[in-house]
Amino acid sequence: MVPQEAYRPDAGAMTTAIHVRGLTKRYGDVQAVGGLDLEIQKGEVFAILGPNGAGKSTTVEILEGYRKRDSGEVRVLGIDPQKPTREWRAKLGIVLQTANDAAELTVRETIRHFAAYYPMARDPEEVIAKVGLTEKADVRIRKLSGGQRRRVDVALGVIGNPELLFLDEPTTGFDPEARRQFWDLIKGLAAEGTTIVLTTHYLDEAEALAKRVAVIARGRIVAAGDPATLGGRATAKAKVTWADGLVETDTPTRTVLELSRRYDGEVPGLAITRPTLEDIYLTLIEAPE
Amino acid sequence: MTTTAAEKATHTAPLPSALALGLSRAAVETRMFFREKDAVIFTFSFPIILLVLFGSIFSDQFKGTGITVSQVYTAGLIGAGVMGAAFQNLGIGIAIDREDGTLKRLAGTPMPRSAYFVGKMLSSLVIALLEVLILLAIGVFLYELELPTDVSAWVTLTWVLVLGMAGAALLGIAASSIPRSAKSAAAVISMPFVVLQFISGVYIPFTELPPWLINISSVFPLKWMCQGLRSVFLGEEGARLELTGSYELGRVALVLGAWVIGGLVLCLMTFRWKGRRDG
């Protein structure tokens, strides 16, 4: 008889997309990742935030199977990325940071060609429409703008109908309108049940897309959770400012009532603010060891 | 329940075969090559211009053979052209693929890695064959080069070209790991190739070369490929122009075959899917 407990890790693997325990990676003297833990569930949109050089890209590239780790336990869709199989790769979509390849092929040729790599690819025409490149389908990639090229990258990331999609700083260099369109695209994929791991520098992007975020600094996760409550954001003191004063308080409503009485009605220049995700983020990444 | 069933169906469908994807890569690689005007001109024009140039300058005959210098050049430049299309083109092309993200992107897909190499080899075969046809046409129409009439010469031509191309292509794939960046690739790959042409009897007959240089060139495939090609196009009379008085076809096959195997081993041992800056 096999004890019931023996089956538990498998039951967990059914719902866990990414499991990381004690991940470390060192480049020469630099400890890029120093004991990182991460758990991402299937169907989640998860954002990884962090300054350049924090270990963000190294971590993601280890998860994608591009880099070898020094130590730690890593499972991505139940597989060790250091021993990738074609079947495993077929379930993954990867949108890399920068690429200038296939410049002489048209959008349609490139997407059709990549579709052939996957056992159950999406319809190339549908994907082209989804990323908004229908009008550019027969244009060579070399002639596209930066934002259009990025959409080709995304199209190639999703053409294989992935269970898990990695997006590495996907909207860098986008204008605000293109970013909104891109967000809609990602929300659509998430609604279809695709697990999405996003790294980004833009905190509004993380807040708009992700249910959970993790902040990486100095090779570790310094905070993780719902962006609305990250780092005690929801319970942090509110800041009440007015024409000639400033108070940090847990009870801003009472402060405003008192002020209203003092000024006999309208308080000049009144504003109540709570820390933004950016405030929290900056505190987290600047905190000493 | 339906979603899990659909999910299962999605990922139990068979993966596309490596051969089919290799052919698909070959089609895409060839198309990309011919759209990149710079590369097309760079690859094709060099041997063509040199053939026309040398053929026009040296129009004498070798005494008592009925063979002209330009015919010897045609045979030699076909060899050089094949090596340019295979070795030089792949050596530079793959160094660029490594830097512009092609290799990294492909490595992240379920494409079997062998499909990439099959694609590169086949596309360089197409390019090399086209180059051979152009040079042959120039040789036949301008320099009275005679196409072989017997079957055995055509058989020789086929195996010399196939072994020569395969060896040169594998050597090119291996050499692509040497340049530090795509920018330096053209110089790093072309320099040894130009030197090799000068010491392998493409431009300068072996009778004019010191033995130590001949010893060096005898290690590499170009000398043997050109020797095999001369046997096809210059016939029995031409054998007297060879150093040993014979085309040594057995040795040609041996050396070219050894380079195919050695090139393959070298590729497997040294190939990098990542650029140097990718760590």
Side-chain angles (χ1 to χ4, degrees), chain B residues 21-248:
Chain B
L21 290 183
L23 294 174
S24 174
R25 285 295 313 163
V28 162
E29 293 275 9
T30 311
R31 195 179 296 165
M32 285 193 285
F33 173 83
F34 283 104
R35 284 183 186 172
E36 190 119 44
K37 298 287 175 290
D38 293 359
V40 175
I41 293 166
F42 185 67
T43 306
F44 282 100
S45 65
F46 201 62
I48 293 170
I49 290 170
L50 286 179
L51 178 56
V52 174
L53 208 62
F54 285 138
S56 313
I57 298 168
F58 307 102
S59 52
D60 324 355
Q61 282 197 355
F62 288 103
K63 273 186 196 125
T65 56
I67 293 167
T68 64
V69 179
S70 44
Q71 286 165 343
V72 177
Y73 275 131
T74 309
L77 279 163
I78 287 174
V82 166
M83 189 140 178
F87 170 78
Q88 183 172 243
N89 204 27
L90 285 192
I92 298 169
I94 296 174
I96 293 171
D97 279 358
R98 192 173 284 119
E99 197 161 287
D100 72 10
T102 303
L103 288 187
K104 194 171 184 183
R105 197 199 294 281
L106 290 175
T109 72
M111 179 203 78
R113 294 188 172 194
S114 58
Y116 174 76
F117 298 108
V118 169
K120 283 285 181 195
M121 300 274 293
L122 287 180
S123 77
S124 65
L125 191 81
V126 170
I127 297 160
L129 272 179
L130 197 64
E131 177 106 79
V132 169
L133 289 178
I134 294 170
L135 292 171
L136 266 184
I138 295 172
V140 168
F141 292 113
L142 294 183
Y143 307 123
E144 291 156 359
L145 188 80
E146 280 173 32
L147 292 178
T149 46
D150 56 333
V151 178
S152 77
W154 282 105
V155 171
T156 307
L157 178 64
T158 307
W159 70 252
V160 167
L161 285 180
V162 169
L163 283 182
M165 279 177 204
L170 289 165
L171 203 56
I173 294 171
S176 75
S177 294
I178 301 170
R180 295 192 155 268
S181 70
K183 273 183 192 157
S184 65
V188 172
I189 301 292
S190 302
M191 188 59 201
F193 176 49
V194 169
V195 172
L196 198 60
Q197 291 177 70
F198 275 97
I199 65 173
S200 296
V202 176
Y203 309 128
I204 303 164
F206 279 110
T207 43
E208 312 279 319
L209 292 177
W212 65 272
L213 269 184
I214 296 170
N215 287 339
I216 292 174
S217 66
S218 300
V219 176
F220 295 99
L222 185 58
K223 171 202 191 275
W224 302 98
M225 194 164 29
C226 294
Q227 200 162 310
L229 291 168
R230 285 195 296 271
S231 86
V232 173
F233 296 110
L234 307 183
E236 286 306 313
E237 272 75 43
R240 280 192 279 151
L241 300 172
E242 299 296 325
L243 274 181
T244 57
S246 147
Y247 290 120
E248 305 171 280

Side-chain angles (χ1 to χ4, degrees), chain A residues 20-214:
Chain A
V20 179
R21 280 285 167 281
L23 175 66
T24 68
K25 176 73 183 182
R26 173 181 281 278
Y27 301 118
D29 290 338
V30 183
Q31 188 76 45
V33 182
L36 186 138
D37 299 334
L38 193 62
E39 200 81 23
I40 299 175
Q41 302 304 314
K42 284 190 178 167
E44 256 194 298
V45 179
F46 191 94
I48 299 177
L49 306 171
N52 289 329
K56 205 171 28 151
S57 292
T58 300
T59 303
V60 172
E61 291 201 343
I62 287 170
L63 298 179
E64 292 165 341
Y66 281 123
R67 277 173 206 275
K68 290 204 180 338
R69 61 186 181 271
D70 292 344
S71 69
E73 196 183 302
V74 179
R75 287 284 177 282
V76 175
L77 299 177
I79 293 276
D80 180 349
Q82 233 156 278
K83 297 174 188 122
T85 62
R86 286 184 65 198
E87 287 78 7
W88 179 71
R89 286 246 171 254
K91 296 182 201 173
L92 247 55
I94 298 175
V95 176
L96 295 165
Q97 234 174 70
T98 50
N100 304 298
D101 53 324
E104 298 301 328
L105 294 180
T106 68
V107 171
R108 180 174 280 127
E109 285 168 340
T110 306
I111 292 171
R112 279 182 179 277
H113 175 69
F114 274 75
Y117 295 163
Y118 295 87
M120 285 294 277
R122 285 171 190 265
D123 174 24
E125 297 305 321
E126 188 193 302
V127 170
I128 291 169
K130 204 166 193 157
V131 297
L133 285 175
T134 306
E135 281 170 27
K136 297 281 175 185
D138 291 316
V139 174
R140 292 196 194 174
I141 291 177
R142 183 165 47 85
K143 292 186 178 151
L144 297 181
S145 72
Q148 290 164 343
R149 251 203 108 103
R150 207 73 191 109
R151 292 172 193 213
V152 176
D153 289 338
V154 174
L156 295 179
V158 302
I159 188 69
N161 205 2
E163 280 179 34
L164 170 60
L165 176 64
F166 289 100
L167 295 164
D168 203 356
E169 295 179 14
T171 59
T172 304
F174 277 30
D175 60 44
E177 195 199 347
R179 282 180 76 207
R180 295 284 165 171
Q181 284 172 358
F182 178 81
W183 290 359
D184 288 341
L185 172 65
I186 298 307
K187 283 175 185 164
L189 290 170
E192 289 170 21
T194 313
T195 311
I196 296 171
V197 178
L198 166 84
T199 68
T200 182
H201 282 305
Y202 301 118
L203 297 151
D204 55 339
E205 184 162 287
E207 206 165 9
L209 295 176
K211 290 276 183 305
R212 285 207 304 146
V213 301

